[in-house]
Amino acid sequence: MNYLIANWKQNKTLSEFKEWVDAFFTSDLIIPENLVFIISPNYLLLPEFHNYLKELDREDIFLASQDVSQYEDGKHTGLVSAKQVSEFASFSIIGHSEKRSDGDSLEVVNKKIRLAIKNGLTPIVCFSDISQYKNISDNFDVKDLVFAYEPISAIGTGKPEDPKLVEEVINKTKLSRVLYGGSVDVDNIDNYLKMGTVTGFLVGTASLDPLKLKALVNKFH
Ligand code: PGA
C-alpha cells in the first residue's frame, strides 16, 4: 500500500476549504485502490470535512488530525484530545518537526502516540533523524504506526532531499513502509517513486492547491 497525506498545517479558513473541495472533488477524481489517501486539515475543519465526505459517500478518503493533546482529558485549555479527534478522523500526525520545535519532547511525542492508539487512531509519526525513529521503535510496536521521514532542511523550503540520502535513512529503519516528506511536488515525486523504498508521501505546500494534489494522486494510477 502507498500513502499520500495532505498536511494543510495552519492554512485554510472555512470558506477556503469550500473552494478547495469544489475544485478537488470533481468527476475525474479517482483514488487508486493501492493508495491510502489522507487529508489533514486544522482541528476546526475536521468535523466539516468529515460531514462533507459522508455526504459524498467517499469511503476512500481518510482524515487525520495534525496533532493530539498529550493529556487524556480535563483541565488543559486550548488542547484537543485524541478521543475528541477520533469522532472525526482515523489517523493523527504526531511528532511533526514543527511541533517538536514548538517544544514536543521525545516523552511528549510518546505520550501522544500512546493516547492516539488507545483511542483507535493510527499515528503517522514524523522523524527527522534516525535517533528520533529509534526512540519510537524502542517504545512501540512499529506495526501499529505509519512512519514519515522528514528532513528539516527539506520542509517547506522548496529543496527536496536527495532521494539517495532518503533511501539511506529509510534502510536504517529496516521497515518495509516509510513515507517521505519535504517539498514533494508533481515535478519531483517520480524521483522517489521509482526507487521503491519510499512507500508514500507527506505533502504540505503542494497539497494546498487542489489541482496539484490531484496530479499527485494520479501519480499512483
Ligand atoms: P512541505 O511540507 O511539503 O511544504 O515541505 C511537508 C510537511 O511538513 O509535512
Side-chain angles (χ1 to χ4, degrees):
M1 271 298 188
N2 288 300
Y3 281 71
L4 182 63
I5 304 167
N7 177 11
W8 281 2
K9 307 191 180 183
Q10 193 186 300
N11 291 294
K12 302 218 182 283
T13 60
L14 181 58
S15 57
E16 288 164 348
F17 155 80
K18 287 181 177 156
E19 276 170 35
W20 190 96
V21 291
D22 282 349
F24 187 74
F25 289 95
T26 49
S27 56
D28 59 340
L29 175 72
I30 296 161
I31 309 295
E33 275 184 13
N34 64 342
L35 184 66
V36 181
F37 179 57
I38 303 167
I39 303 181
S40 187
N42 67 51
Y43 287 130
L44 289 174
L45 293 177
L46 270 181
E48 198 71 33
F49 220 135
H50 173 82
N51 293 341
Y52 182 85
L53 292 174
K54 236 183 169 171
E55 267 168 37
L56 291 190
D57 202 17
R58 293 224 60 141
E59 291 181 355
D60 53 350
I61 295 170
F62 300 91
L63 294 175
S65 65
Q66 296 174 12
D67 192 26
V68 290
S69 168
Q70 62 175 300
Y71 308 108
E72 195 123 27
D73 52 31
K75 296 180 234 167
H76 303 288
T77 303
L79 301 187
V80 178
S81 71
K83 189 177 176 186
Q84 290 164 332
V85 165
S86 70
E87 295 190 304
F88 306 105
S90 31
F91 293 84
S92 181
I93 299 173
I94 296 177
H96 191 282
S97 63
E98 287 156 10
K99 293 301 301 169
R100 291 184 193 256
S101 67
D102 267 355
D104 276 15
S105 63
L106 294 175
E107 193 194 344
V108 167
V109 171
N110 275 254
K111 280 186 184 169
K112 290 180 172 184
I113 295 173
R114 221 163 272 129
L115 283 172
I117 293 172
K118 185 177 171 193
N119 287 284
L121 296 166
T122 301
I124 300 159
V125 183
C126 303
F127 64 99
S128 25
D129 60 54
I130 203 70
S131 68
Q132 287 178 351
Y133 167 74
K134 287 219 171 91
N135 173 265
I136 308 296
S137 62
D138 285 349
N139 291 314
F140 294 93
D141 184 342
V142 293
K143 288 197 293 298
D144 295 336
L145 311 172
V146 176
F147 282 99
Y149 172 51
E150 297 212 308
I152 288 171
S153 63
I155 297 178
T157 57
K159 293 185 187 138
E161 183 71 303
D162 180 340
K164 283 205 191 82
L165 297 179
V166 172
E167 188 160 56
E168 271 175 30
V169 174
I170 291 182
N171 286 341
K172 281 186 196 155
T173 68
K174 301 190 174 63
L175 294 176
S176 55
R177 184 181 68 202
V178 180
L179 323 186
Y180 165 72
S183 299
V184 173
D185 210 335
V186 199
D187 311 329
N188 59 41
I189 193 167
D190 289 337
N191 301 337
Y192 301 96
L193 275 174
K194 68 182 178 211
M195 293 189 315
T197 341
V198 174
T199 51
F201 301 90
L202 196 51
V203 182
T205 314
S207 74
L208 298 175
D209 177 334
L211 302 184
K212 279 191 182 176
L213 187 60
K214 221 183 313 194
L216 288 170
V217 168
N218 286 335
K219 291 283 183 182
F220 293 88
H221 277 294

